[in-house]
Structures are given as C-alpha cells and as structure tokens.
Amino acid sequence: MHGNVHGNAGHHASHHFPSPDRSPGEKGAITDRLRERGIILDDGYEPAEFLDGGMADIDGKFRKADLVLYSPEITGPSLVQKSCVPVSIGGHIDVDKYGQVKGLPHVFAAGDCANHENPPLWVPHQAHMAQLRSNAAAKNMKAILNGKESTNLYRQELSCILDMQDDAMWLHRSEDGRPPFRNIFPRRSKNLILVKEAFERIFLFYLRYL
C-alpha cells in the first residue's frame, strides 16, 4: 500500500491513501476507519515514479504531494535469491506446509524469509504468524531427527492491535474462525492500547529471559 499527503503552504492539507489493490468503495475495518478520519482513498492508483512535487502512475497521471510515505511490496531477502535454496515467486524460501524447504531434506525455514504453501491472501509472514510457524517447524525438526515424519501443521492467523492514539481496534482473522483469547477483549476500544503495551512487555520479557 502507498500513502501520501497533499496540500500547499497556507492551505489545509488533504490526506490521500492510494492503493492499487483496493476496489473503489471497498469497505472494511481499516478503510472505514480511514474514512472516519477524513482520509481520501485513492483506489486503484499505483505510483510508478516519484517526481518533483508529487508522483505519477504508469500512464503519467500526476498526483501533487507535499509529503509522500511509501511502503513497497514485501519480497524475500536477496541473500536467499543468490543461494542454492529453492525460491518462491515472491522471492522467499520455498517451503511446504510443514516448514521444510522443498527439495532439501532436514532444512527448515519460517518467518519473513519463507513463503506459505497455498496461503489465503490475508495471511502475514511476520510477527505472530512467524511464531506459530516456527513452533511447528521446530517440532517437525525434532521429529525428523528422531527418525519420524513431519506431521505438525501451523494455524493460519492474522491478529494484531491497531493503535490509532485516540482509539484502537483488534484486527483478527483465522482459518478456523476462532476469536482471539475467546473474545474476552473487545474488538474496538481505546483500552486495547494498554493491552497492546502489556503484550509487548510480556513478549520482550519472554525473549530476554526465558
């Protein structure tokens, strides 16, 4: 996705959020929150070139901007593409549903560097998803070392708290439809900011000391 801010000195700035992957009028938890904040959704627009004073798409359609915040698509590390391991279309290490690198027995990968096998479009690579994948891969490695076969699968899930400073929202989606923490937390509340900060402290303590 791509974001930019339009405006001139002395005038009220209008905020635009272009994305080539969104359909006009598309509704959803994030797009609805953007509209609530007066952000203009520039659906279908994909910058191809940054120019002085703005940007242009592949057809030369110019968008004036005072400030551009650009987030490119995620691709695998160049180190992977230069190595002997098989690489997916997106440039990640090509692994199967057990986390084992295809064609390389006893080699496993998980997280940002590895792809998913036949994933839904919404599933992420990093953060919580990497934790679930790594846990399954570690169990499968242990099984292989003990002369057994890989049997441990990982649950495909997207779960994060969106901090909007004056509001917060729990974005969650999973392949089995199970809610996070049995729905004991609200899906939208400013108090979720405190919950997010608590989770961060817990995970940092776990990584540093356990």
Side-chain angles (χ1 to χ4, degrees), residues 42-75:
D42 206 347
D43 299 317
Y45 185 82
E46 181 175 13
E49 184 180 11
F50 295 111
L51 305 169
D52 184 20
M55 55 191 178
D57 66 6
I58 194 170
D59 297 322
K61 188 181 294 183
F62 184 74
R63 291 285 194 277
K64 186 176 181 180
D66 296 326
L67 174 67
V68 176
L69 302 177
Y70 177 70
S71 177
E73 296 179 344
I74 297 174
T75 57

Side-chain angles (χ1 to χ4, degrees), residues 131 199-210:
Q131 179 187 8
F199 277 131
E200 288 173 351
R201 287 194 291 269
I202 291 170
F203 273 103
L204 286 174
F205 180 85
Y206 171 78
L207 292 172
R208 289 171 177 166
Y209 305 111
L210 299 179

Side-chain angles (χ1 to χ4, degrees), residues 10-200:
H11 295 81
H12 178 69
S14 60
H15 303 260
H16 290 240
F17 185 30
S19 174
D21 302 320
R22 259 194 335 258
S23 300
E26 182 178 320
K27 294 184 177 297
I30 295 179
T31 53
D32 291 349
R33 300 295 82 74
L34 292 172
R35 290 190 183 97
E36 286 176 3
R37 284 163 163 72
I39 297 173
I40 300 169
L41 302 183
D42 206 347
D43 299 317
Y45 185 82
E46 181 175 13
E49 184 180 11
F50 295 111
L51 305 169
D52 184 20
M55 55 191 178
D57 66 6
I58 194 170
D59 297 322
K61 188 181 294 183
F62 184 74
R63 291 285 194 277
K64 186 176 181 180
D66 296 326
L67 174 67
V68 176
L69 302 177
Y70 177 70
S71 177
E73 296 179 344
I74 297 174
T75 57
S78 58
L79 176 64
V80 169
Q81 296 159 32
K82 296 175 183 177
S83 69
C84 64
V85 298
V87 177
S88 68
I89 295 175
H92 297 83
I93 299 174
D94 199 9
V95 299
D96 63 17
K97 59 185 177 180
Y98 303 109
Q100 180 167 309
V101 179
K102 295 178 181 179
L104 293 177
H106 299 189
V107 179
F108 289 79
D112 293 24
C113 67
N115 73 327
H116 296 274
E117 187 175 66
N118 300 320
L121 293 175
W122 49 263
V123 71
H125 283 273
Q126 67 277 19
H128 174 58
M129 193 69 251
Q131 179 187 8
L132 298 178
R133 299 176 70 190
S134 298
N135 186 44
K139 290 179 180 178
N140 289 326
M141 282 191 286
K142 184 177 180 180
I144 292 293
L145 290 172
N146 290 327
K148 302 177 182 178
E149 294 184 356
S150 296
T151 58
N152 296 280
L153 302 173
Y154 58 88
R155 181 165 168 261
Q156 306 212 57
E157 180 178 71
L158 184 157
S159 195
C160 66
I161 296 174
L162 179 62
D163 182 351
M164 298 177 282
Q165 294 188 327
D166 61 344
D167 195 7
M169 183 170 54
W170 197 313
L171 301 174
H172 182 86
R173 188 169 181 177
S174 62
E175 62 181 345
D176 55 14
R178 274 176 18 205
F181 296 95
R182 300 186 179 182
N183 259 345
I184 64 174
F185 297 108
R187 288 299 182 94
R188 186 177 179 185
S189 169
K190 187 176 181 179
N191 292 330
L192 285 173
I193 297 174
L194 301 176
V195 174
K196 181 176 183 177
E197 292 173 350
F199 277 131
E200 288 173 351

